[in-house]
């Protein structure tokens, strides 16, 4: 049995009024209503989380409220203020569009996120090649308000929309040989001009152990702040693993492959000494160029202590029981 999930949030952590009203308006127009709290496998509960299912055939317009969510607050929230939408969407690492933090917001308009096909294959009984909107409509979406910690020692708090990756994996039915999950980003230098630079090997690839991928906290994000995911944030589909450094959150996913062996990952290939496969947030293990003991929250002046597993230790530390996290960093 996995460790317990984060506790129900305090009452002071409420959805911003503007976002709440936007959702209420959308729900009114769509004729949707909130779902009920759902039970997670293994007897774990998403306490207080409410869900809705997207309308069949619903295709969102860019920049509008794209995925219907219940106005109720989800359970996976922090007790910290959310980072403003403007900061989340203009301060990005997405080398496919340039090395500067501002490059993705300026250049990612070249990415065409529809139509978009995702392939799920490898060690599965039911491989699936699916249009991204069909994929999104096949699962209830959830709001998850997660801390995001970059290995460069800055951080944000982001209200994601998305679907639990474990639900998708359940649908394709991993074989008994599946041990890892590999992810691949789109490779198209015409749409992603940063890929014309040899700064990294393209396409960007990432990976998780299967139990990490199936953990209830692991999300495939399709939006943020009640809006469709912007291209600079990894539209139309990106990985969010809140207890790991941000570079594990591969963006603009086109393939998910279950494997027997540990898959290669882009930053580990680029510099194995600096970027481990696991990349769990760990204030006790410094990156060679950056102390991980503290972090700078975007929008704040002072630094704050970094929490083990980015504050999600109660939920995920058991995944690494018996491992040497200084060696397996």
């Amino acid at each position: 049995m996995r460790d317990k999930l984060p506790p129900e949030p305090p009452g002071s952590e409420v959805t911003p009024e503007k976002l709440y009203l936007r959702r209420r308006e959308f729900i009114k127009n769509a004729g949707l209503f909130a779902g009920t709290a759902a039970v997670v496998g293994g007897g774990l509960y998403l306490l207080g989380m409410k869900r809705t299912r997207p309308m069949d055939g619903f295709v969102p317009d860019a920049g509008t409220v794209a995925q219907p969510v219940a106005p109720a607050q989800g359970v996976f929230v922090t007790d910290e203020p959310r980072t403003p939408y403007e900061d989340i969407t203009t301060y990005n690492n997405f080398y496919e569009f340039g090395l500067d933090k501002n490059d993705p917001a300026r250049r990612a308009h070249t990415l065409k996120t529809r139509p978009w096909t995702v392939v799920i294959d490898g060690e599965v009984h039911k491989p699936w090649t699916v249009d991204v909107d069909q994929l999104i409509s096949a699962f209830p979406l959830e709001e998850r308000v997660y801390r995001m910690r970059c290995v460069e020692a800055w951080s944000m708090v982001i209200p994601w929309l998305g679907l639990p990756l474990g639900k998708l994996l359940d649908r394709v039915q991993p074989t008994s040989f599946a041990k890892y999950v590999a992810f691949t980003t789109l490779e198209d230098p015409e749409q992603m001009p940063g890929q014309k630079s040899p700064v990294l090997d393209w396409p960007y690839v990432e990976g998780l152990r299967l139990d990490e991928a199936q953990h209830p906290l692991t999300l495939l994000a399709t939006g943020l702040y009640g809006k469709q995911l912007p291209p600079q944030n990894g539209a139309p589909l990106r990985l969010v693993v809140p207890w790991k450094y941000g570079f594990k959150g591969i963006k603009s996913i086109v393939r998910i492959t279950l494997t027997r062996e540990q898959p290669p990952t882009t930053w580990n290939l680029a510099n194995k000494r600096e970027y481990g496969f696991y990349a769990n947030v760990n204030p006790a293990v410094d990156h060679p160029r950056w102390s991980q003991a503290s972090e700078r929250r975007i929008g704040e002046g002072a630094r704050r202590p970094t929490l083990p597993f980015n504050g999600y230790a109660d939920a995920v530390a058991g995944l690494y029981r018996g491992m040497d996290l200084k060696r397996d960093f």
Side-chain angles (χ1 to χ4, degrees):
M1 181 177 177
R2 297 188 178 101
D3 291 341
K4 64 182 181 181
L5 295 177
E8 194 165 12
S12 59
E13 183 68 13
V14 298
T15 302
E17 181 181 9
K18 183 178 179 181
L19 179 58
Y20 174 82
L21 292 174
R22 188 163 63 234
R23 292 175 185 162
R24 293 293 298 176
E25 182 64 20
F26 176 83
I27 291 168
K28 177 182 177 182
N29 293 338
L32 299 175
F33 58 90
T36 56
V39 178
V40 175
L44 303 176
Y45 292 89
L46 300 178
L47 299 174
M49 175 175 291
K50 296 184 177 181
R51 305 172 176 175
T52 59
R53 179 180 292 278
M55 294 176 291
D56 291 340
F58 177 75
V59 180
D61 294 324
T64 63
V65 177
Q67 288 99 6
V69 294
Q73 186 173 326
V75 66
F76 294 116
V77 302
T78 76
D79 57 357
E80 302 159 41
R82 293 152 174 78
T83 302
Y85 179 84
E86 290 74 15
D87 291 335
I88 296 171
T89 57
T90 58
Y91 192 84
N92 307 106
N93 283 328
F94 200 174
Y95 281 14
E96 284 84 343
F97 297 101
L99 306 186
D100 190 90
K101 295 288 190 295
N102 298 319
D103 284 341
R106 291 190 302 107
R107 306 176 71 183
H109 61 87
T110 56
L111 179 62
K112 298 177 181 177
T113 61
R114 299 293 190 284
W116 190 279
T117 301
V118 181
V119 177
I120 305 105
D121 62 359
E123 290 291 350
V124 297
H125 291 293
K126 295 185 176 181
W128 195 20
T129 298
V130 58
D131 175 80
V132 69
D133 288 315
Q134 182 184 351
L135 186 156
I136 292 172
S137 66
F139 300 91
L141 297 183
E142 301 176 3
E143 181 180 70
R144 307 285 187 86
V145 185
Y146 285 157
R147 301 181 192 87
M148 196 284 282
R149 173 64 155 77
C150 179
V151 73
E152 296 169 347
W154 54 267
S155 62
M156 296 182 178
V157 176
I158 303 176
W160 299 108
L161 295 176
L163 58 103
L165 176 58
K167 297 288 186 183
L168 173 60
L169 298 179
D170 288 345
R171 176 164 181 145
V172 297
Q173 299 181 12
T175 72
S176 60
F177 297 109
K179 306 298 181 187
Y180 295 89
V181 184
F183 304 87
T184 305
T185 295
L186 175 71
E187 183 175 15
D188 186 342
E190 296 307 313
Q191 294 191 61
M192 296 175 146
Q195 291 180 339
K196 296 177 181 178
S197 166
V199 63
L200 291 173
D201 290 334
W202 309 112
Y204 197 101
V205 291
E206 255 304 337
L208 296 173
R209 227 171 45 196
L210 181 59
D211 58 347
E212 296 176 318
Q214 292 174 318
H215 193 278
L217 283 171
T218 304
L219 195 70
L220 284 177
T222 61
L224 62 86
Y225 260 123
K227 296 183 178 182
Q228 186 176 8
L229 198 63
Q232 61 266 34
N233 290 92
L237 197 67
R238 65 165 290 168
L239 179 67
V240 177
V241 192
W243 70 93
K244 295 180 178 289
Y245 292 119
F247 67 85
K248 294 291 288 186
I250 185 170
K251 304 176 180 74
S252 302
I253 295 169
V254 295
R255 183 178 290 271
I256 301 172
T257 304
L258 280 75
T259 66
R260 302 186 183 200
E261 306 295 333
Q262 181 176 300
T265 61
T266 287
W267 280 104
N268 185 253
L269 290 171
N271 191 336
K272 186 174 296 185
R273 175 174 167 268
E274 295 192 357
Y275 302 97
F277 174 81
Y278 287 96
N280 294 317
V281 175
N282 189 344
V285 177
D286 286 337
H287 183 279
R289 286 180 283 152
W290 304 289
S291 168
Q292 300 299 344
S294 66
E295 64 197 62
R296 177 178 62 89
R297 178 65 48 80
I298 298 299
E300 294 181 353
R303 298 181 71 86
R304 60 171 63 203
T306 288
L307 302 173
F309 296 103
N310 203 24
Y312 300 96
D314 285 349
V316 301
L319 296 174
Y320 310 100
R321 189 169 292 121
M323 293 178 59
D324 181 349
L325 297 183
K326 291 186 177 180
R327 183 189 63 192
D328 298 316
F329 61 93

